């Protein structure tokens, strides 16, 4: 099993089950879209211009902290709901009956608790790496003509994103286990995923590269067509939710269930 195999297998998991993916996530993502438009938060999907502090193609305005905070919480809840439904569909063959994915409340609450713990562990790892990255890259970027350039941002992202991404993939099976309501000690996940270090390291790079490439058009479109950029970014976010959940499924099957992964 290689990192590329894991990624392509996860991508095919979505493409081969497109109808089910639409039924599980279509209505929920539609609700999110309506909320974004109703709150006027389209700009939150656009990249920030470092020179102005405003979204690319937009204007510098006082941020709507309340609206943004509410939207983030809604996005988190809906994203977790879709993820639980997708885990249970793939791993338990719990097929959707309609366009409202029915998820057992206990499964969702267990998943929510594990996801919060998972996010806290990643945050604790990211903080010292972010500080280290600032001290290593920040002075050189600031001293450079024109401030921080693309090279500094890319290097900073690699320095922080790669280790945190690797840790996220090593711990990812606990999310699938939570959706299935199966006990899975963190120590067991850490031990068993440690035997796949090379695969997970390659997968971290593949995911980082794929995420960077699919998001490139957002910055290009935002300068002249902010509405089109928002639409593209929203679809990308939709795909990221499903592919990320599929990565978790694949890692759970290969690391915990010892199922072989084929191209």
């Amino acid at each position: 099993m290689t990192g590329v195999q894991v990624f392509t297998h996860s991508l095919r998991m979505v493409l081969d089950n497109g109808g089910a993916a639409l039924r599980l996530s279509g209505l929920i993502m539609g609700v999110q879209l309506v909320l974004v438009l109703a709150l006027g938060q389209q700009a939150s999907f656009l990249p920030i211009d470092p020179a102005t502090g405003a979204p690319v193609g937009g204007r510098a305005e006082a941020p709507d902290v309340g609206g943004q905070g509410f939207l983030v919480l809604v996005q988190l809840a809906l994203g977790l709901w879709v993820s639980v439904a997708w885990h249970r569909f793939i791993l338990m063959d719990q097929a959707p009956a309609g366009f409202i994915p029915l998820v057992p409340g206990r499964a969702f609450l267990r998943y929510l608790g594990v996801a919060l713990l998972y996010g806290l562990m990643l945050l604790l790892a990211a903080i010292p790496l972010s500080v280290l990255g600032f001290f290593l890259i920040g002075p050189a970027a600031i001293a450079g003509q024109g401030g921080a350039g693309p090279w500094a941002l890319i290097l900073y992202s690699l320095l922080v994103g790669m280790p945190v991404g690797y840790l996220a993939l090593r711990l990812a099976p606990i999310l699938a286990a939570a959706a299935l309501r199966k006990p899975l000690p963190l120590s067991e996940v850490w031990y068993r995923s440690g035997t796949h270090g090379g695969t997970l390291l390659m997968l971290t790079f593949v995911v980082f590269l794929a995420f960077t490439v699919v998001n490139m058009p957002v910055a290009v479109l935002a300068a002249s067509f902010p509405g089109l950029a928002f639409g593209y970014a929203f679809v990308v976010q939709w795909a990221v939710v499903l592919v990320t959940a599929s990565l978790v499924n694949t890692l759970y099957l290969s690391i915990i269930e010892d199922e072989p992964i084929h191209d």
Side-chain angles (χ1 to χ4, degrees):
M1 178 182 70
T2 68
V4 175
Q5 285 178 311
V6 173
F7 185 79
T8 55
H9 182 273
S10 303
L11 191 58
R12 284 202 318 273
M13 192 180 289
V14 177
L15 297 177
D16 293 346
N17 297 280
L22 182 61
R23 291 196 299 275
L24 284 171
S25 63
L27 182 60
I28 289 179
M29 297 304 294
V31 170
Q32 184 182 145
L33 177 60
V34 170
L35 284 174
V36 171
L37 296 175
L39 294 171
Q41 293 295 321
Q42 298 94 312
S44 64
F45 285 77
L46 305 180
I48 300 297
D49 184 347
T52 63
V56 175
R59 297 175 300 174
E61 298 177 350
D64 179 7
V65 178
Q68 290 178 357
F70 175 72
L71 182 60
V72 167
L73 291 177
V74 171
Q75 287 177 314
L76 175 63
L78 296 181
L80 292 179
W81 191 270
V82 170
S83 297
V84 175
W86 188 248
H87 293 321
R88 295 177 71 86
F89 166 67
I90 295 295
L91 301 175
M92 296 180 63
D93 199 25
Q94 191 175 88
F99 283 89
I100 302 179
L102 299 179
V103 173
R106 289 186 178 180
F108 177 77
L109 291 176
R110 185 184 183 99
Y111 194 86
L112 176 61
V114 171
L116 290 175
L117 176 62
Y118 177 78
L120 178 60
M121 289 187 290
L122 297 183
L123 178 62
L124 292 176
I127 290 175
L129 288 171
S130 298
V131 173
L132 177 63
F134 175 78
F135 281 108
L136 291 178
I137 301 172
I142 294 172
Q145 188 175 5
W151 68 268
L153 297 176
I154 293 173
L155 187 58
Y156 183 83
S157 297
L158 286 172
L159 181 63
V160 178
M162 287 292 289
V164 174
Y166 175 77
L167 177 62
L169 293 174
R170 282 198 64 172
L171 300 177
I174 64 173
L175 295 172
L180 303 180
R181 297 183 62 197
K182 289 185 176 181
L184 182 60
L186 189 61
S187 57
E188 180 180 350
V189 175
W190 186 254
Y191 172 75
R192 299 184 69 167
S193 63
T195 62
H196 300 272
T199 294
L200 295 178
L201 187 61
M202 180 188 296
L203 179 60
T204 304
F205 178 75
V206 170
V207 170
F208 181 87
L209 182 62
F211 182 81
T212 301
V213 170
V214 299
N215 278 284
M216 280 182 177
V218 178
V220 176
L221 291 171
S224 302
F225 308 100
L228 185 59
F230 160 70
Y232 176 83
F234 186 85
V235 172
V236 167
Q237 184 202 64
W238 187 348
V240 165
V241 170
L242 291 170
V243 174
T244 300
S246 294
L247 281 170
V248 174
N249 288 341
T250 303
L251 293 173
Y252 178 83
L253 290 171
S254 61
I255 293 174
I256 306 302
E257 299 294 339
D258 292 321
E259 291 193 12
I261 301 299
H262 302 289
D263 287 332

